[in-house]
């Protein structure tokens, strides 16, 4: 069932989330969970399952998610066929799913550990690449649940949660002065 907070309110654009219908919620909020689901089909279909994005837009989100190598090094490019299970590594799967989330371009996007299956170099590239497609003309909010120093360093605002409670807020560099933050992030 639907969970309502014990205190406070969960709002999207000033409207309580609980008052929004499923369709309205999905048009405003995208949750990209840690578990990655892909489809049998092309990279294009996995990133843009409903169509509507041109090659340039898909190339941009693939680059932002550091998944562009999956098409640039393959002769079929965006039409490269992948299987739902077994044809890509965990990191490659995660990068394709992240590209799909970026292509969806929801006003509010919640990412859960979007770089947990990639190496540190790729994680750094994804952290840098995340800002461009989510900043610009349209107002976009991106919430990332992570302990990745690379992602946290790119965040405008970091919230340190310990045992379900907010204990500090600030930028990554400001919070590095706290022992509990250093323990959570740099352990």
């Amino acid at each position: 069932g639907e969970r309502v907070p014990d205190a406070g309110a969960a709002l999207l654009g000033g409207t309580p989330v609980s008052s929004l219908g499923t369709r309205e919620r999905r048009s405003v909020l995208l949750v990209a969970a840690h578990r990655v689901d892909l489809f049998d089909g092309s990279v294009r279909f996995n990133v843009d399952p409903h169509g509507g994005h041109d090659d340039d837009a898909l190339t941009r989100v693939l680059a932002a998610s550091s998944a562009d190598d999956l098409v640039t090094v393959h002769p079929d490019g965006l039409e490269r066929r992948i299987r739902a299970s077994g044809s890509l590594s965990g990191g490659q799967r995660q990068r394709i799913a992240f590209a799909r989330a970026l292509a969806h371009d929801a006003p509010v996007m919640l990412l859960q550990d979007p770089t947990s299956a990639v190496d540190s170099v790729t994680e750094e590239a994804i952290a840098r690449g995340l800002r461009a497609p989510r900043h610009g003309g349209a107002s976009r909010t991106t919430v990332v649940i992570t302990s990745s120093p690379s992602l946290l360093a790119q965040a405008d605002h970091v919230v340190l949660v310990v045992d379900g409670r907010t204990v500090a807020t600030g930028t990554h560099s400001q919070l590095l002065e706290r022992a509990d933050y250093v323990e959570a992030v740099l352990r």
Side-chain angles (χ1 to χ4, degrees):
E2 190 171 303
R3 293 188 54 162
V4 177
D6 295 333
L11 305 174
L12 279 175
T15 303
V17 173
S18 58
S19 71
L20 297 173
T22 302
R23 186 173 298 206
E24 288 176 292
R25 263 187 251 166
R26 287 186 179 160
S27 71
V28 175
L29 172 66
L30 172 73
V31 177
H34 178 72
R35 188 172 155 265
V36 176
D37 290 320
L38 296 183
F39 315 111
D40 286 334
S42 66
V43 170
R44 177 190 306 277
F45 177 70
N46 273 275
V47 174
D48 188 21
H50 303 292
H53 288 81
D54 63 24
D55 288 3
D56 289 339
L58 293 179
T59 299
R60 282 192 299 277
V61 297
L62 286 165
S65 65
S66 287
D68 49 344
D69 64 319
L70 296 174
V71 296
T72 58
V73 300
H74 196 276
D76 294 337
L78 287 166
E79 303 313 319
R80 176 183 180 177
R81 305 296 292 178
I82 57 177
R83 294 189 318 269
S85 61
S87 64
L88 299 176
S89 71
Q92 290 169 324
R93 296 171 60 81
Q94 195 170 51
R95 291 182 288 146
I96 292 287
F98 183 45
R100 181 189 313 142
L102 290 175
H104 184 72
D105 195 32
V108 179
M109 182 168 60
L110 173 65
L111 303 171
Q112 180 186 7
D113 283 324
T115 59
S116 63
V118 301
D119 61 75
S120 60
V121 173
T122 304
E123 181 177 55
E124 184 69 34
I126 289 171
R128 286 190 315 270
L130 174 61
R131 289 188 74 85
R134 298 297 293 169
H135 284 73
S139 175
R140 298 288 181 250
T141 299
T142 307
V143 177
V144 183
I145 300 170
T146 189
S147 60
S148 161
S150 297
L151 289 169
L152 292 166
Q154 293 295 321
D156 294 327
H157 187 77
V158 178
V159 178
L160 175 61
V161 178
V162 177
D163 296 327
R165 297 202 179 284
T166 298
V167 296
T169 62
T171 65
H172 175 65
S173 57
Q174 290 168 336
L175 293 177
L176 282 172
E177 297 174 12
R178 296 179 56 99
D180 52 356
Y181 183 77
V182 170
E183 174 64 25
V185 174
L186 302 177
R187 57 177 172 232

